[in-house]
Amino acid sequence: MRLDYTPHFLRNYRKAPTAIQRAFDKKSLLLLENFQHPSLHAKKYDESANIWQARVTGSWRFYFSIEGDVYRLQEIKSHPK
């Protein structure tokens, strides 16, 4: 598997606080190693659009689709509680 970043994802990643960027970098490695790693809390977010959600921190999430052997990262944003 490999990661592919949409322009939208990259814009939001660059706007995110540095601590969130670092946390995401660690979580993206976990995604590549083990999609079902407990700290990711990965789950299907939108069945019809094939979008998944995973946890960056308690208050940030990232969204991605799985296309063949690619995780296409769509969005990273704060998650309202």
Side-chain angles (χ1 to χ4, degrees):
M1 296 296 282
R2 63 185 178 85
L3 301 176
D4 182 52
Y5 305 88
T6 64
H8 179 76
F9 179 91
L10 291 173
R11 275 191 304 275
N12 288 341
Y13 175 85
R14 289 183 194 116
K15 292 177 185 177
T18 303
I20 298 302
Q21 291 177 7
R22 280 194 226 115
F24 169 78
D25 293 344
K26 291 177 184 176
K27 296 293 179 134
S28 66
L29 293 176
L30 287 177
L31 180 65
L32 289 171
E33 291 174 10
N34 179 6
F35 170 76
Q36 296 178 343
H37 193 281
S39 73
L40 289 172
H41 296 269
K43 64 180 181 179
K44 193 70 128 186
Y45 178 74
D46 184 338
E47 184 78 35
S48 64
N50 190 34
I51 301 293
W52 291 78
Q53 176 190 70
R55 186 176 290 182
V56 178
T57 65
S59 59
W60 281 75
R61 303 289 185 270
F62 67 96
Y63 300 83
F64 61 97
S65 59
I66 302 171
E67 301 171 18
D69 68 342
V70 175
Y71 294 119
R72 188 166 318 279
L73 294 144
Q74 308 283 341
E75 175 75 88
I76 183 169
K77 63 182 181 178
S78 63
H79 183 73
K81 295 242 174 185

